[in-house]
């Protein structure tokens, strides 16, 4: 991760304490309604002062004739104008996250996983996970699924093995899939086996062309091995942050090299093996939309590619629309953004909801994923050379605390299930928003008040209006 880009948004830490399966934070905080499900209508609110944390409000929206509308801004919903369908909202389940979760007492672990991945009771319904193929920088140490003594190679991937994942990662992931069998899972490698690289190191280096076919077979074996474990990999990216070779693990990969790998090796290998897993390119910052565009301009590579993935440690979120406009038949994904620890809860809440939950989906992204699910109070585990201040959505130490990314994602995942479709809503100054039509027919509107003062406004839908208000810096999800 390019972590220095967002050091300015770090400030005081936020901790919310676990009491059984219920959420309790500082004095005065409202609790998540234990009977709520995503089938309900109403208003759920999170405020920057944390006095309300994804809490259902006592009153919902009341739509009346436009003649009764009060003065003020109007957010108008038009469900006749539709955009992309949604695949889900969630996190990266790192190896370190899985280790921390798996060490929890059984009752706590069961309750926590249901809260995260179920829509029943107090669940936030996380519907999309990104996982690392091999180690990420938030694993305890770097590894791949075919590590060999120096000087040895295994072009046919005969020694490929998921053994490193059997202790913590696969047991946790299997429990998640049991809770939410429809969850979408994306795999992303931080590095291939080092014997495939020109520097024989987990840090940096590039994939040797003579190992393109072997690496393609590595992906096929991975997807097949995960399937044998009961886990379907919906999509893979070719390389996490291919233009950031300074991480541990990492690998440098130019756009043309990625295109060559796809069209000469990976695409044909997937086709030959009958693999239906989506191939997604780039998986790096929005300052380089030319990278995925270069690959998509190559018809022999593009025919195997589902779409492009982005992070936002550089560039602007509107770059996703630049790629969409160039290739409207290809999908877009937002796959990573960290919160730097210790967090500035009110500023992180505003920025992430406005820029990602709202900004990424308004710029055609089918998902929004935060980095990462869990870390301990010292931001561990991580590799030597990996991220040393990545705040998880959860902090797991003596207990479990929910941090700002829990609420950022929860405001979408709890209410916007996979299969929902983004619909039109106008942008109002200081009231950033996005709207969705759900498969059950309900409408969802997510609004963040980025102003320094409270705001009253109207929500207009199908010729009727409802009055609403938001405190400064607050986020609300409206469902009707």
């Amino acid at each position: 991760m390019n972590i220095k880009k967002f050091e300015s948004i770090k400030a005081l830490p936020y901790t919310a304490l676990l009491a059984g399966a219920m959420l309790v934070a500082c004095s005065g905080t409202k609790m998540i309604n234990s009977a709520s499900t995503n089938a309900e209508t109403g208003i759920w609110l999170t405020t920057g002062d944390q006095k309300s944390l994804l809490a259902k409000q006592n009153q919902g929206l009341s739509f009346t004739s436009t003649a009764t509308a009060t003065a003020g801004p109007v957010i108008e919903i038009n469900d006749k104008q539709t955009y992309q369908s949604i695949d889900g909202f969630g996190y990266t389940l790192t190896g370190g996250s899985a280790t921390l979760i798996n060490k929890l007492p059984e009752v706590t672990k069961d309750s926590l996983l249901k809260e995260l991945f179920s829509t029943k009771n107090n669940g936030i319904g996380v519907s999309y996970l990104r996982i690392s193929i091999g180690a990420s920088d938030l694993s305890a140490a770097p590894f791949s699924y075919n590590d060999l003594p120096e000087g040895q190679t295994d072009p046919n991937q005969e020694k490929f093995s998921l053994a490193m994942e059997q202790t913590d990662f696969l047991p946790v992931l299997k429990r998640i899939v049991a809770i939410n069998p429809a969850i979408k899972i994306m795999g992303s490698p931080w590095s291939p086996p080092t014997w495939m690289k020109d520097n024989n190191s987990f840090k940096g280096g590039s994939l040797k062309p003579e190992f393109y076919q072997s690496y393609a077979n590595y992906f096929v074996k991975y997807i097949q091995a995960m399937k044998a474990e009961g886990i379907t990999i919906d999509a893979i990216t070719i390389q996490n942050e291919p233009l950031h070779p300074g991480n541990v693990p990492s690998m440098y990969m130019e756009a043309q090299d990625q295109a060559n790998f796809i069209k000469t090796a990976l695409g044909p290998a997937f086709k030959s093996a009958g693999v239906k897993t989506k191939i997604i390119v780039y998986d790096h910052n929005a300052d380089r939309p030319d990278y995925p565009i270069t690959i998509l301009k190559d018809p022999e590579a593009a025919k195997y590619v589902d779409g492009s993935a982005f992070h936002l440690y550089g560039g602007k979120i509107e770059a996703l629309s630049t790629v969409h406009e160039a290739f409207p038949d290809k999908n877009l994904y937002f796959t990573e953004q960290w919160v730097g620890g210790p967090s500035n809860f009110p500023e992180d809440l505003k920025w992430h909801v406005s820029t990602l939950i709202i900004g990424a989906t308004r710029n055609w992204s089918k998902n929004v994923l935060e980095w990462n699910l869990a870390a301990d109070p010292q931001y561990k585990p991580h590799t030597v050379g990996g991220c040393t201040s990545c705040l998880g959505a959860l902090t797991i130490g003596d207990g479990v605390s929910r941090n700002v990314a829990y609420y950022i994602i929860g405001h979408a995942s709890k209410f916007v299930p996979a299969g929902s479709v983004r619909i039109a809503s106008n942008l109002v100054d200081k009231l950033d928003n996005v709207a969705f039509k759900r498969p059950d027919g309900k409408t969802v509107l997510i609004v963040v008040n980025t102003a320094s003062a409270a705001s009253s406004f109207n929500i207009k839908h199908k010729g009727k209006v409802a009055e609403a208000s938001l405190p400064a810096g607050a986020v609300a999800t409206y469902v009707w």
Side-chain angles (χ1 to χ4, degrees), residues 222-235:
Y222 167 73
I223 291 162
Q224 292 173 338
M226 292 295 276
K227 187 69 174 178
E229 297 285 350
I231 295 160
T232 299
I233 303 300
D234 181 72

Side-chain angles (χ1 to χ4, degrees), residues 427-477:
L427 284 174
V428 175
D429 186 41
K430 305 297 185 182
L431 290 171
D432 295 344
N433 68 84
V434 65
F436 304 93
K437 179 67 72 175
R438 299 197 321 202
D440 66 3
K442 288 188 171 65
T443 300
V444 179
L445 175 68
I446 302 171
V447 185
V448 56
N449 178 10
T450 62
S452 57
S455 179
S456 295
F457 56 98
N458 294 296
I459 299 171
K460 184 177 181 181
H461 185 222
K462 294 183 176 179
K464 295 186 176 182
V465 295
E467 296 179 14
S469 63
L470 272 179
V475 176
T477 300

Side-chain angles (χ1 to χ4, degrees), residues 100-140:
L100 293 168
I101 291 169
N102 209 32
K103 288 180 179 178
L104 289 169
E106 182 60 31
V107 172
T108 305
K109 176 166 50 180
D110 182 66
S111 173
L112 179 64
L113 290 175
K114 287 177 179 175
E115 179 188 333
L116 288 168
F117 297 100
S118 174
T119 56
K120 298 177 182 177
N121 299 318
N122 66 327
I124 64 168
V126 168
S127 50
Y128 205 116
L129 282 178
R130 182 174 178 238
I131 61 177
S132 60
I133 301 174
S136 74
D137 58 312
L138 295 189
S139 298

